[in-house]
Amino acid sequence: MGDTRHLRRAIELALPHRTHPNPRVGAVVVDVAGEVIGEGAHLGPGQDHAEVVALDQAGPRAQGATMYVTLEPCSHHGRTPPCVDAVVNAGVARVVVGVVDPDPKVSGSGIDLLRDAGIEVETGSMQPEVEAVDPGYFRQRRSGLPRIILKYAMTLDGSVAAEDGSSQWITGEEARADAHRLRSEVDAIAVGAGTLRSDDPSLTVRHGRTDHQPRPIVIAGTADLPPDARIWERDPLVIAAVNMALPGGELAVVESEGGMPLPKAAAKELAERGYYDVLLEGGPTIAGAWWQAGIITTGVIYLAGKIGGGKGVGPLGGIFASLSDAADVSITGVRVVGNDVRIDFG
């Protein structure tokens, strides 16, 4: 019970921080009498890792102590020295590791070095809970792709927009505020060039944790983008099929087909730049293409308390030819938000 409690505390310490491309990690040090003598979390690239922060708090009392850490301590030199060295030098006797690091530069070598130094190591405790701390990191390390969260709002009868293209606002104020809190949890927000032209979005966080603003991403084809769009003020990354002049931001040209970036190539570009949690906000053309490519991992759907009463614009572009084409997903959450309903799936 004690191990579970301390590892849960390490998870709590890790959760609030935005550390990508580094993993979120929390650590707790407990002395031989069972007293917590050090706690820490990694705050971001270039800053001390969680193990070092916790050991600095513990000081000499770490001799003979147990460390609880969500992720395997690193064994390589990056911007900071290996955490394994700090743990060994502190005289820690036992380490409880939530999950082995899937990073090929670590991947068990940190645990091996700890054991070689005579430290008792236990692994795999609460692995699902620990991986839920940073699913984007684990997704990227295992697949080379980011976690992509599909988000859209639609009427109860299945339209994200009316036939004339109008869509603001399908949901109520409470659901829109909830969606902004969702934005605050990701590294980047991606839209297609069509959405940029029709809605002129700023893609900012205006509710919840506004100190973190995810980077705006535009998925573009070959046509010029509007030079007066608000997004240029926010240093967007434009992932395009061809080289093009931009009034601002940064351009990445990736492999394309039919004049549009291939979804997997675009997603890989985002992961390589350290964007491991990406919110895909549409529109239907991009959402449908990325769904068909099989790279969307989770989704958040807002069902508005509205009925269009006729044929509008569906959330995913493309053809739904047969029920056998439908993919099964797991509903992971359903809750009422104002007069709307939020459905999470994975």
Side-chain angles (χ1 to χ4, degrees):
M1 289 296 295
D3 284 355
T4 299
R5 175 166 57 89
H6 294 311
L7 199 51
R8 280 185 177 146
R9 175 56 182 162
I11 289 172
E12 290 175 1
L13 292 166
L15 270 173
H17 306 292
R18 302 286 175 261
T19 60
H20 294 162
N22 289 3
R24 296 187 184 107
V25 182
V28 174
V29 181
V30 178
D31 69 11
V32 293
E35 180 183 351
V36 174
I37 56 175
E39 294 185 338
H42 180 49
L43 302 183
Q47 301 195 55
D48 285 341
H49 289 191
E51 299 95 322
V52 173
V53 176
L55 289 170
D56 283 348
Q57 282 188 14
R61 296 174 67 189
Q63 184 76 35
T66 296
M67 169 174 281
Y68 298 86
V69 60
T70 56
L71 187 69
E72 175 184 5
C74 64
S75 56
H76 63 284
H77 281 271
R79 296 187 185 184
T80 58
C83 290
V84 165
D85 293 352
V87 175
V88 172
N89 293 336
V92 170
R94 177 173 175 256
V95 178
V96 178
V97 176
V99 64
V100 175
D101 193 341
D103 189 330
K105 291 182 292 185
V106 186
S107 193
S109 62
I111 291 170
D112 289 343
L113 288 171
L114 291 174
R115 286 175 173 156
D116 289 346
I119 297 174
E120 178 187 350
V121 182
E122 297 180 21
T123 64
S125 178
M126 297 175 62
Q127 181 167 339
E129 295 93 331
V130 171
E131 292 200 14
V133 171
D134 198 353
Y137 174 80
F138 287 95
R139 164 80 170 164
Q140 190 278 331
R141 288 297 189 268
R142 288 170 177 158
S143 71
L145 300 174
R147 180 175 71 129
I148 299 170
I149 308 159
L150 174 64
K151 172 255 172 182
Y152 57 82
M154 67 180 184
T155 63
L156 287 177
D157 51 343
S159 293
V160 297
E163 190 175 3
D164 65 1
S166 58
S167 62
Q168 296 181 331
W169 296 102
I170 283 181
T171 54
E173 186 174 338
E174 294 94 335
R176 296 199 298 274
D178 187 76
H180 276 266
R181 286 188 286 272
L182 177 63
R183 284 182 173 184
S184 74
E185 298 170 0
V186 300
D187 302 322
I189 305 172
V191 297
T195 298
L196 182 66
R197 295 186 183 96
S198 63
D199 294 349
D200 189 22
S202 60
L203 303 182
T204 55
V205 176
R206 296 186 293 278
H207 299 275
R209 181 181 171 180
T210 58
D211 62 317
H212 168 68
Q213 292 292 340
R215 190 170 191 189
I217 310 295
V218 179
I219 310 299
T222 58
D224 291 339
L225 300 175
D228 56 349
R230 292 186 297 168
I231 208 167
W232 303 122
E233 301 172 2
R234 298 204 52 235
D235 185 35
L237 171 64
V238 177
I239 299 180
V242 295
N243 196 15
M244 60 175 65
L246 300 177
E250 185 179 7
L251 177 69
V253 179
V254 301
E255 185 181 359
S256 63
E257 185 177 274
M260 285 298 296
L262 289 171
K264 192 169 184 179
K268 185 176 180 181
E269 179 72 25
L270 290 171
E272 288 176 349
R273 290 171 177 265
Y275 305 122
Y276 297 167
D277 286 310
V278 178
L279 187 63
L280 182 63
E281 291 202 355
T285 300
I286 295 297
W290 285 40
W291 177 262
Q292 291 296 328
I295 59 173
I296 291 172
T297 51
T298 59
V300 176
I301 313 304
Y302 293 94
L303 285 178
K306 286 184 174 67
I307 295 178
K311 184 179 179 182
V313 179
L316 300 179
I319 302 298
F320 178 24
S322 170
L323 187 60
S324 61
D325 296 334
D328 289 327
V329 298
S330 297
I331 304 298
T332 57
V334 179
R335 60 185 172 91
V336 175
V337 184
N339 193 43
D340 308 310
V341 176
R342 171 173 165 163
I343 300 176
D344 292 62
F345 70 83

